[in-house]
Amino acid sequence: MEKTTTIIPQGDVERQLWYCEQVAAVTAQWPERPLAFVDTYGCQQNEADSERIRGYLKKMGFGFTDDEERARIIVINTCAIREHAEQRVLGNVGALVHVKRRHPEQLICLCGCMMQEPHVAEKIRQSYRHVDLVFGPHALWKFPEMIYTLLTQRGRIFSNADEAGSIAEGIPVVRQDKVKAWVSIMYGCNNFCSYCIVPYVRGRERSRRPEDILQEVEELAREGYKDITLLGQNVNSYGKDLEEPMDFADLLERVNAIPGEFLIRFMTSHPKDATHKLFETMARCEKVAPVLHLPFQAGNDRVLKVMNRRHTREQYLEKIRDLKSLIPDIVLTSDIIVGFPGETTEEFEDTLKVLEEVRFDALFTFIFSPRVGTPAANMDDPMPREEKLANFNRLTALQDAISEEKHRAYVGRTVRCLLDGLSDDERYDLTARTPGNRLVRVVGGRSALGQFRDVKITDANKWSLFGELIE
Ligand code: SAH
Ligand code: SF4
Ligand code: F3S
């Protein structure tokens, strides 16, 4: 890969912080402290982006609310991965017309992957005239300047030009959680799987400098974060564009060496780039959680080829065997698409065979959704929706049985878990995560929230485990 990664000059980021101060001077004149509502769809990458939008908003003098009626600024961070995600966003944005009628001073901002799609931005321009600001992921770092312009001039702003993308360091962050944190290590994707919109909306693969990543993790460890996830669409190709080449396994090793008691997770991995070196590093590094999310999408080689995944079923299975031999208790999860154009039911059954062989702990399963501009959207797709649904149901039934069986195997064991949240089910006090990230509902221990503690697993179902804190 050519070393063409654009790093935004520090002075340009500082200029955005200057805009924050200008906005703060405006909001300080208002009778009450203004509130902002940031609503996030999609993956952790979007969650991480929203934490930066909140960081900027805080610097601009805003507090936060979940009530759109009270918000002076509404930001909806959107996802384009499937039709369903887009429909939900458009429905909610449509409903905001009425809210804005009651509060005409309100600013409505749409950002994220959907806004980077030209046909969507055009639709917002034409039919959603109550939306003031539209920007894609590439323009996020200029958010303060756009807000300043909206507050001081009339009109709407659309900032979603197609770009390869850049890296901006030094944007403030307001994190949503005190125990778990996301750290983006790279942005974009070069894989162009034929069904996927991500490379079109997130630009080319580009890696943050290792020193910036390590500094961020060190700070998180000092602040007491216990569960740190390194994020990228394809973390296994980290570092290819750096001045001094470094691969993901090397980065993992260096993050592992940071002092403190915390777990390191990462996602997402692409099978074609997941190496023996990575598996060995995972096995050796005590902070790296024994879990791997390794999407395989389909079990049939012809389908994998048309998906442009660049690995075969056997290559995938070989990697899993290698990993299991190094880390026998590894927790495995994956993504699967059912009903890719042209996939026959017989070919789909090869996906079921992979499930039976690997025995994943959990799966994320999707029915193919055509995305404008991707090759798969123009492929012949003769299978009726009912047949796709029937296949989808066979897949989830098989996985439910496997998940339940794998969860049942924990019953009676004592597992060191991270107590990561308060339970929303009143029969339990806390939620916790096993090192492999399985959810545990725990009785007792409210005061130990945020700590690693031994939990005796007493029961399980297909979704989660149940246990008691050992005092
Ligand atoms: N970068 C990650 C995944 C990003 S999207 C990876 O490569 O694995 C998350 C998942 O959404 C994908 O793994 C895929 O299973 C699913 N997905 C992506 N595009 C889709 C589409 N057009 N229709 C249905 N599912 C899709
Ligand atoms: Fe999409 Fe494939 Fe890139 Fe994942 S690796 S983001 S599925 S193009
Ligand atoms: Fe969605 Fe964009 Fe993530 S399309 S899945 S929010 S990268």
Side-chain angles (χ1 to χ4, degrees):
M1 182 175 163
E2 277 179 71
K3 293 184 174 40
T4 50
T5 299
T6 311
I7 310 250
I8 305 292
Q10 217 40 53
D12 291 2
V13 177
E14 273 156 29
R15 196 167 158 72
Q16 294 304 317
L17 300 178
W18 177 84
Y19 276 114
C20 287
E21 285 168 25
Q22 303 310 300
V23 174
V26 175
T27 57
Q29 307 293 319
W30 296 350
E32 282 171 46
R33 184 180 189 204
L35 300 176
F37 174 34
V38 182
D39 196 9
T40 312
Y41 294 76
C43 63
Q44 285 86 351
Q45 201 75 63
N46 256 16
E47 297 288 347
D49 284 350
S50 286
E51 294 185 338
R52 292 196 152 62
I53 291 171
R54 284 198 187 86
Y56 270 147
L57 283 163
K58 188 175 169 205
K59 276 221 175 318
M60 291 190 262
F62 285 81
F64 298 99
T65 175
D66 287 337
D67 178 359
E68 51 210 20
E69 297 285 342
R70 296 177 61 213
R72 183 68 167 72
I73 291 186
I74 296 181
V75 181
I76 305 186
N77 193 359
T78 65
C79 170
I81 201 79
R82 283 170 291 273
E83 179 74 25
H84 177 69
E86 298 206 339
Q87 288 310 333
R88 270 174 63 211
V89 166
L90 290 177
N92 289 351
V93 174
L96 288 178
V97 161
H98 310 290
V99 182
K100 185 150 177 172
R101 214 166 275 150
R102 290 189 284 276
H103 311 281
E105 75 293 347
Q106 195 169 56
L107 291 181
I108 300 183
C109 314
L110 303 187
C111 62
C113 296
M114 238 176 118
M115 299 305 124
Q116 201 65 47
E117 294 180 287
H119 73 280
V120 173
E122 196 45 40
K123 185 169 181 164
I124 303 289
R125 194 191 292 277
Q126 303 286 346
S127 315
Y128 294 76
R129 302 204 56 86
H130 57 298
V131 174
D132 303 281
L133 170 60
V134 165
F135 62 98
H138 298 314
L140 186 150
W141 69 277
K142 290 183 279 193
F143 180 60
E145 182 174 354
M146 297 186 276
I147 292 295
Y148 179 76
T149 308
L150 284 175
L151 286 177
T152 53
Q153 298 166 26
R154 290 172 155 271
R156 311 167 79 193
I157 298 178
F158 283 74
S159 182
N160 59 347
D162 188 25
E163 290 182 25
S166 55
I167 293 184
E169 295 291 351
I171 298 179
V173 188
V174 172
R175 297 190 191 268
Q176 285 302 85
D177 200 284
K178 298 259 175 292
V179 183
K180 301 184 191 195
W182 318 115
V183 175
S184 295
I185 63 164
M186 59 192 300
Y187 306 96
C189 183
N190 287 355
N191 285 327
F192 291 94
C193 302
S194 63
Y195 49 82
C196 184
I197 194 72
V198 171
Y200 302 88
V201 294
R202 289 262 170 189
R204 296 293 60 73
E205 242 168 55
R206 49 209 189 273
S207 308
R208 287 178 72 199
R209 287 175 297 230
E211 51 278 24
D212 293 323
I213 297 167
L214 294 169
Q215 192 189 340
E216 188 171 339
V217 177
E218 276 161 21
E219 273 165 30
L220 291 168
R222 265 201 304 277
E223 287 168 27
Y225 281 89
K226 297 287 181 236
D227 186 319
I228 296 174
T229 303
L230 308 179
L231 284 184
Q233 292 300 342
N234 180 17
V235 292
N236 302 136
S237 69
Y238 173 80
K240 289 185 181 155
D241 57 324
L242 290 171
E243 290 289 318
E244 274 178 54
M246 170 188 233
D247 70 13
F248 181 62
D250 298 332
L251 179 73
L252 215 47
E253 184 108 42
R254 288 179 63 181
V255 174
N256 187 69
I258 293 173
E261 189 191 25
F262 60 91
L263 277 175
I264 305 164
R265 308 181 190 284
F266 55 87
M267 66 188 307
T268 303
S269 293
H270 193 299
K272 78 176 164 52
D273 303 309
T275 57
H276 180 72
K277 179 180 172 189
L278 170 71
F279 302 157
E280 257 182 3
T281 308
M282 289 174 70
R284 188 158 26 84
C285 292
E286 74 290 353
K287 291 190 179 110
V288 176
V291 52
L292 186 68
H293 179 61
L294 196 62
F296 78 96
Q297 313 299 355
N300 178 271
D301 285 346
R302 188 198 67 80
V303 177
L304 283 171
K305 196 164 173 53
V306 192
M307 285 180 162
N308 193 30
R309 288 292 288 179
R310 287 175 281 169
H311 61 81
T312 62
R313 172 172 61 167
E314 189 44 39
Q315 284 164 341
Y316 183 85
L317 292 173
E318 184 48 42
K319 296 211 181 201
I320 297 286
R321 283 192 285 265
D322 185 25
L323 176 59
K324 281 184 176 170
S325 74
L326 289 163
I327 312 177
D329 62 348
I330 187 84
V331 169
L332 290 166
T333 60
S334 194
D335 292 348
I336 291 174
I337 297 178
V338 175
F340 184 80
E343 183 186 57
T344 63
T345 290
E346 207 183 338
E347 288 169 331
F348 159 75
E349 283 166 356
D350 288 337
T351 299
L352 299 181
K353 287 184 197 139
V354 174
L355 261 60
E356 270 159 0
E357 174 153 357
V358 177
R359 304 193 76 74
F360 295 98
D361 294 77
L363 282 183
F364 300 88
T365 48
F366 311 103
I367 292 185
F368 170 74
S369 169
R371 308 285 66 218
V372 175
T374 63
N378 300 322
M379 292 177 189
D380 261 354
D381 191 4
M383 188 184 278
R385 174 118 192 128
E386 305 76 68
E387 192 173 344
K388 290 188 181 187
L389 260 177
N391 288 344
F392 184 82
N393 291 338
R394 281 175 74 188
L395 179 76
T396 49
L398 175 59
Q399 183 55 41
D400 284 352
I402 296 173
S403 293
E404 176 147 5
E405 192 188 311
K406 295 208 97 174
H407 283 163
R408 289 234 156 257
Y410 285 84
V411 175
R413 282 172 54 193
T414 296
V415 184
R416 190 134 185 101
C417 293
L418 175 60
L419 305 173
D420 68 343
L422 295 174
S423 174
D424 50 14
D425 179 335
E426 60 194 27
R427 288 169 297 170
Y428 302 93
D429 296 289
L430 295 174
T431 61
R433 293 280 168 173
T434 67
N437 215 22
R438 307 318 303 147
L439 172 66
V440 193
R441 298 192 182 280
V442 182
V443 176
R446 276 179 170 255
S447 61
L449 182 63
Q451 297 175 15
F452 290 99
R453 297 292 283 273
D454 285 338
V455 175
K456 173 142 195 200
I457 308 299
T458 52
D459 201 0
N461 63 23
K462 64 184 175 192
W463 297 289
S464 64
L465 310 173
F466 303 90
E468 289 159 10
L469 193 79
I470 298 184
E471 293 296 346

